[in-house]
Amino acid sequence: MAARDPHRFVNDLDEEALGRVVARLESRARDAVFAELFEKYVGRLALSGAVRVLEVGCGTGAMLRMLARQTGFSGLAWGVDQSSHFIAVANRLAQEENLGGCTVFEVGDAHELNFPQASFDVVIAHTLISHVANPAEVLREMARVVRPGGTVAVFDGDYSSLTYAYPDHVFGKHMDEALATATFNNPLIMRDLPRLLRECGLVLTEAWGDAVTEIGKGSYFKSFAETYVPYVKRSQMLPEEAVDQWLAYQRQAMAEHIFLASCNYYTYLTSPAR
Ligand SMILES: C[S@@+](CC[C@H](N)C(=O)[O-])C[C@H]1O[C@@H](n2cnc3c(N)ncnc32)[C@H](O)[C@@H]1O
């Protein structure tokens, strides 16, 4: 069976698989290393006053809740996702955190946003672009709905850099590649963005890269492996027994504090060319 990105085809997942992805999105947002990468670019956005923020592909709304919790945020944070299951979770969690008054979550397709031109001051795609069917179409939509002088922020990983240490280097490399292929529709898209952003009417204002690295203990990469290994197995890219051995090794390495995993992430801050 060919690899099928679970986030692209989220509406085909069963209840159990949806539960695993919801848990992953929520635990990832609480992960200190990952939260820091979000805060690093959110801190550069102009978010004071009655600002209107849109997150495209908001999932369970974990990042928008983090943004809305910021002291002094008095704007409106709007989240759109293709999954009605995620949107229901996003609404429930926002209510539970008393953020219902400054957040709106609704179902929608990133390729065809249901908003007029120039509706938002800030538009964010946080780990969305690696999953969508057509990244250029999504970027054009983001450029369309942001106001002149506003900001479009795109954050995601360059998944050819995804690396888990494994004593058998050859199999380890195959496993890294299989994880990237099984999980992401566009694993290398972030290296195309300097060209693609311009083609989609967005001018780069700032950009940088960060490596997320865990050595000894694993947290971010623990939940990554546990959530996405089932998709590697289902894709039949590698022998199932060898994949199970790989996961058992990673768990043992974490228990013994000899674990290592890493991946590069890029952030692009842009403005519409018009
Ligand atoms: C890795 S999750 C990121 C969720 C959220 N941005 C976060 O960081 O917690 C990717 C999300 O993109 C959504 N998605 C993928 N393709 C989409 C599309 N065409 N339109 C809207 N949402 C989409 C998925 O449903 C999923 O919730």
Side-chain angles (χ1 to χ4, degrees):
M1 189 195 288
R4 266 169 85 79
D5 175 339
H7 288 281
R8 177 177 170 198
F9 297 105
V10 72
N11 289 322
D12 297 345
L13 300 181
D14 62 26
E15 283 290 311
E16 195 196 331
L18 281 171
R20 273 202 307 271
V21 176
V22 166
R24 159 81 185 154
L25 292 177
E26 287 298 310
S27 80
R28 186 179 78 160
R30 285 192 297 272
D31 196 282
V33 183
F34 206 70
E36 203 177 301
L37 299 187
F38 181 66
E39 278 154 11
K40 189 166 162 183
Y41 76 82
V42 165
R44 284 165 157 92
L45 304 174
L47 292 177
S48 58
V51 69
R52 286 171 62 87
V53 179
L54 172 68
E55 188 192 356
V56 188
C58 63
T60 57
M63 310 322 292
L64 275 190
R65 277 183 280 121
M66 202 185 297
L67 183 149
R69 277 196 300 263
Q70 280 193 347
T71 339
F73 181 75
S74 54
L76 188 64
W78 206 299
V80 167
D81 200 279
Q82 63 178 349
S83 160
S84 57
H85 183 92
F86 290 172
I87 289 299
V89 174
N91 276 315
R92 177 173 54 76
L93 294 177
Q95 293 297 335
E96 282 172 15
E97 291 184 29
N98 290 323
L99 295 170
C102 63
T103 54
V104 178
F105 293 102
E106 62 181 38
V107 177
D109 183 357
H111 300 86
E112 208 177 346
L113 293 170
N114 197 18
F115 301 105
Q117 194 166 335
S119 299
F120 295 94
D121 301 287
V122 172
V123 181
I124 295 171
H126 191 84
T127 65
L128 166 76
I129 211 76
S130 59
H131 297 292
V132 296
N134 188 329
E137 234 172 83
V138 170
L139 292 172
R140 272 190 215 102
E141 275 297 84
M142 294 174 76
R144 181 182 68 76
V145 300
V146 75
R147 68 162 169 79
T151 302
V152 168
V154 183
F155 170 91
D156 216 321
D158 185 52
Y159 296 102
S160 70
S161 65
L162 179 68
T163 303
Y164 282 80
Y166 193 58
D168 176 344
H169 290 176
V170 174
F171 184 81
K173 185 140 183 56
H174 289 321
M175 190 62 200
D176 293 338
E177 283 167 6
L179 270 170
T181 311
T183 313
F184 305 99
N185 197 55
N186 319 301
L188 305 185
I189 191 67
M190 288 306 270
R191 59 181 66 180
D192 293 336
L193 281 211
R195 171 181 52 79
L196 211 51
L197 288 165
R198 184 181 296 173
E199 286 172 13
C200 296
L202 291 163
V203 178
L204 202 54
T205 50
E206 231 186 317
W208 61 89
D210 292 281
V212 173
T213 303
E214 289 182 330
I215 299 174
K217 290 184 199 163
S219 158
Y220 176 77
F221 288 107
K222 177 178 191 290
S223 100
F224 184 96
E226 287 175 345
T227 309
Y228 298 121
V229 156
Y231 298 97
V232 172
K233 285 165 76 169
R234 195 163 313 153
S235 73
Q236 297 175 352
M237 281 185 275
L238 294 170
E240 193 164 333
E241 200 181 324
V243 174
D244 284 335
Q245 274 169 15
W246 179 93
L247 185 58
Y249 172 84
Q250 300 305 337
R251 287 183 170 136
Q252 189 63 28
M254 287 177 225
E256 292 178 18
H257 293 187
I258 55 164
F259 176 77
L260 183 147
S262 182
C263 188
N264 296 337
Y265 287 82
Y266 297 120
T267 305
Y268 295 91
L269 300 185
T270 72
S271 274
R274 63 179 184 275

